Amino acid sequence: MSGMHLSREFFELIKAIGESKSKQEEDRIIAREVVTLKKKLESGGAGSGGGLAMIPGSPIPGGPGSSSGNALNTNKKKAREFLVRVLYVEMLGHDGSFGYIKAVELAASQSIIHKRTGYLVCSCCLSPEHEFRFMLVNQMQRDLISSNLLESCGALLAVTNLITADLVGTVSTQVLGLLEHSAETVRKKAIIALHRLHQLAPDIVTKQEMVEKVRRMLCDRDPAVMGATLNVIEAMARVDVHPFKDLVPSLISILKQICERRLPSEYDYHRIPAPWMQMKLVRILSVIGKNDSANSEGMYEILGDCLRKAEDAGINASNAIVYECIRCITNIYPNNTLLDCAGASISRFLSSRSQNLRYLGVTGLASIVERHPKYAADHQLAVIECLEDQDESLLRKTLDLLYRMTNPVNVEFITDRLLHFLRGSTDPYLRADLTAKICSIAERYAPNNAWYVRTITELFKIAGDLVDPAVATNLMSLIAEGTGNEEDDEEADMVLRKQAVELYVNLLVNPPNRMPRVLVETLAWVLGEYGYLSSVMPLDAIIDGMCNLISGSTARLGGGAPSTRRLILSAIMKMVAQYGSCPAAAAAIVDNYTKSSDPDAQKRCLEFQTILTQAPHLLGEVFPVDASLEDVEVDMNMSFMDGIVGEAISNGARPYEKPDDDEDDDDINAIASQTATAFKMTPYEKPSERTYGQGVMQGMGSSNMGVTGAPNVTLPPGNSGVGAASPQAPTSPIQQSAKPGEPQLNVRNVANVWGKQAAPVQAPASSVPSTSSFASSTPAPAPSGYGGFGSSPAPATAPVAPVKTAEQLEKERMAAALFGGISGAPPPPPAQPAAMSTPQMTPAPPMPQPMPVAPAAPPVPPPAPAAAEVDLLGFDMEPSTTTATTSTVDMLAPTPLVEEPAPVPAAAPPAPAPAPPAPAPVDDPFAAAGLLDGFAEPAPLPSLTTTEALDSAKFEFGGAPIAPLTINTPQFGERWGQCSSSHPVNVPSSTSASTLGKFMALCERAGLHKVEEIAATNEGIAACMAGGGSSVALVHGKISPLPGGTSSRVDVTVKSTDSGLGLGLSMYLQNMLR
């Protein structure tokens, strides 16, 4: 014990605290220690030697009446130990203020160890407003100018913790002087202390002065001072990066020297040269290189070298450097080579057995997936395995990754996974975070309104106490308002309300043991407004259920708050008005609440009783049906009181006189007029630089995913890619100078996303023209099960794949659903489509069917050849040989076309027959609506085996055929929320679209661009535009195979910026599907 300089009492204290079994036992130990310390400090702790020499009034050392030097040293040693014990008391949550004055006195000691102990206790215990801080200023000033560097270092450490904003001017001059100190230890502490003073009082230690000192200290001859300066540069660069833009060459030079081991060996850590300096430099480069292509280009080489050398080491320190390099590479102006290296490093982390490295891999994948989602496709199964891991930290980071990679295609799967983890979680912080994320992605990427209502209701059941009340308000507004288009979507809005009513009726019949308040209030509002729409339970039974709910346990009432009970009472009254009579259960509830202690509820029930007994005919006016959106007319002049007022005045009452304005009102009006003129009318400055990755949806786009339009069609504004938000990004031409038939690299989106200079176009290896806009410039290896972005089809002599277990196939299907909307995700393995809950949309009203023309008997088609295996996502898919369409093709059911016989090559063409007389014009509603698309014209129909016939089948809008809108899945999701007009289509049984491939083929024949197919969920999305891009239409379809395999149920949702375009296209698709 003597070697540790600890007394027996101190040792016993630490041992007792460590062995305590409960908080109460620990509190008892600290309470006894507080009593002991108070006695010791009052008596001095030196036995019979009297009080401590530092106590005011004690003899001056060496003066008359002073004790011996040994006794004085003993007292100081005891006092130092007592103050450390006081520090333990404070750390464990108890009051140690009785020892503060002793700490201040000990800071004035001549002994360095005693002085630093006093400074330490003062720094940890004194609050910024404590008056004892002023007692330390003079001592710190003396120590800062001391010739003893240990005293100067102790004072600098105290300055960073004890000085407040009002005391900065007292020590700033001394700290600036220490920047020129001969000892490197003092210089590096001085630059840190100066930065702290700048943070406290930027008007005293100015920014310009601080930048000048930092630049000079970065070039200090001692590496330790330079390393300390890097901390200051990073902190200041995160606030304002512009003063440090020109330091990039110097920072790169420093990092290069460190990587080349030019620093002394004492800076190495496990054979890694100065790893903390390397990480700090890489972080600074990441901050400076963000949105700066010029500076980023100078970083590429050194980042690649640093990443490569760190990976070769393979220890924890080098893995930390690799992680910082990955974050820097994903943050600066992108470089494809570095991104590939970062993706390889992430793959190594994810495949590691170490949980820590897997955590780094998931974190790195979350940072790269926002801007470059194709790299996530290689790690599908690894992410699924992380979701099933028992490590809670890894699980949380994986859930954050899911949130970042959400898009309209995989939103249902990801939301289900988040709800699953939320249901089993007990950590309040994780539950709150998951609740906020589920609300966010449900509002941004909801495939339809019915799914949103079901998802938010399920969220209310699981974590209703953590949901923002605004979410419930938005849900009720959605049910009441619907899509907001009264002309076209009233029937769809009514279907949504019916589905919501049935959902909450089932919840009322089978309520959980505990219902959050927000769920009960939402249930009461929905059933009170639209309970009459229920088809599963009569209205009187719903009234009885609501009466049972309000009279049941408070756990099912969300705590039984008075406001919740009022809402339920109002809902019962509304349903009574809709039902036309008052059931006995409702009458009993209303009668009971007329005696309620809640005056609001009592008033409502008394008024309702009065109306019910004396004026039942007014129930319909007091509680109108579906009137939640009607404006309430307010009579500001209260003219209905004129008769009563006139009668009172005629009886001698005094007329009302408006009181005169007093001086206070005049002062208030004067202040209001003065502040009104201070409103700033200056417009905001134009942003000088772009910010990438704003929002999850924008971040999901890849930098090489261009958006092209059809030839000779003007692209709509803003469809140039994810980064098209910049008004300064020039548009590079789509067509490149190349020979006809040669493949070309689409570089349109590269210029729009990343800056003014377009990426260089490399000559592709293959001479076969590619139909995909994602073609790679170099040949890629054959794809494996997953992660084959930009890969070519496998050769015919590919080896037989090993048989996979049921567990592996299930994980692959989950991965396909999870990575559905991620660019570069390969198709899922062949398996039964996953059962996904899809909202059942009510079919649109049937259109009047024209009488079909009897078609000629078509010849028996030859057997179709076996279809070659293709990439469902269309990445580098070789164009298939064009096959002649047989006579079984039905372009527009139920209007079949008569196929012309195939011409015989050897025979001469017959002379054209005279044209028959034109029939009289007939008013055709299909032709007027543009649904026949040219089939009503008197011109003879071309053969269906020609390309011209397929083109003529395109849907027309405004007299012109629609054009395919070539966008990717993230852009589809972004535009989905911008389309205000929604038109659901439901075909219970369709043979023309019995499979997902047939449905997407129908969409392409109609003139739409196939955006993506998701075979795991049997869903597909397509897009088109009309009017030169002024109107956009988006199509989402889901195929549900029916028993027998010859037909399927088809649910289609058409969203458009133009209601006419959306309505016409939905009716056109409905006819084609039938």
Side-chain angles (χ1 to χ4, degrees), residues 188-209:
K188 72 177 183 179
K189 288 179 170 58
I191 189 64
I192 298 295
L194 186 64
H195 179 237
R196 177 58 181 165
L197 297 181
H198 168 69
Q199 291 178 325
L200 293 173
D203 54 336
I204 298 178
V205 182
T206 62
K207 180 180 179 180
Q208 181 179 2
E209 182 181 16

Side-chain angles (χ1 to χ4, degrees), residues 144-210:
L144 286 173
I145 61 175
S146 173
S147 59
N148 188 337
L149 63 90
L150 296 178
E151 292 184 351
S152 300
C153 291
L156 287 172
L157 292 175
V159 164
T160 58
N161 296 308
L162 294 174
I163 292 297
T164 54
D166 55 336
L167 300 176
V168 170
T170 60
V171 295
S172 59
T173 304
Q174 291 85 347
V175 173
L176 284 171
L178 290 178
L179 293 176
E180 309 294 336
H181 201 278
S182 58
E184 65 277 0
T185 305
V186 177
R187 294 200 302 272
K188 72 177 183 179
K189 288 179 170 58
I191 189 64
I192 298 295
L194 186 64
H195 179 237
R196 177 58 181 165
L197 297 181
H198 168 69
Q199 291 178 325
L200 293 173
D203 54 336
I204 298 178
V205 182
T206 62
K207 180 180 179 180
Q208 181 179 2
E209 182 181 16
M210 191 68 202

Side-chain angles (χ1 to χ4, degrees), residues 446-585:
N448 50 67
N449 293 337
W451 178 87
Y452 178 79
V453 172
R454 290 198 307 272
T455 301
I456 296 300
T457 302
E458 184 67 20
L459 180 63
F460 287 167
K461 292 169 59 178
I462 300 173
D465 298 335
L466 303 175
V467 178
D468 189 348
V471 176
T473 303
N474 295 338
L475 177 63
M476 290 184 281
S477 299
L478 174 65
I479 296 174
E481 299 176 4
T483 57
N485 194 335
E486 299 180 358
E487 299 178 358
D488 306 325
D489 299 329
E490 182 60 32
E491 184 175 353
D493 296 344
M494 191 59 65
V495 171
L496 175 65
R497 292 165 188 153
K498 290 180 180 179
Q499 293 176 347
V501 168
E502 292 176 359
L503 176 65
Y504 285 103
V505 165
N506 293 331
L507 187 62
L508 181 64
V509 174
N510 301 310
N513 294 330
R514 180 184 175 276
M515 294 176 64
R517 176 180 176 180
V518 65
L519 177 61
V520 177
E521 294 179 353
T522 306
L523 179 146
W525 183 88
V526 172
L527 296 183
E529 291 290 336
Y530 305 106
Y532 63 93
L533 297 177
S534 174
S535 59
V536 298
M537 181 181 290
L539 190 57
D540 57 340
I542 298 178
I543 296 175
D544 293 340
M546 294 293 289
C547 295
N548 294 333
L549 179 64
I550 195 173
S551 59
S553 63
T554 58
R556 291 184 175 179
L557 277 177
S563 59
T564 305
R565 296 181 182 273
R566 295 171 202 154
L567 283 175
I568 298 178
L569 288 172
S570 298
I572 293 174
M573 297 173 189
K574 291 178 183 178
M575 288 187 288
V576 168
Q578 298 166 9
Y579 186 61
S581 63
C582 184

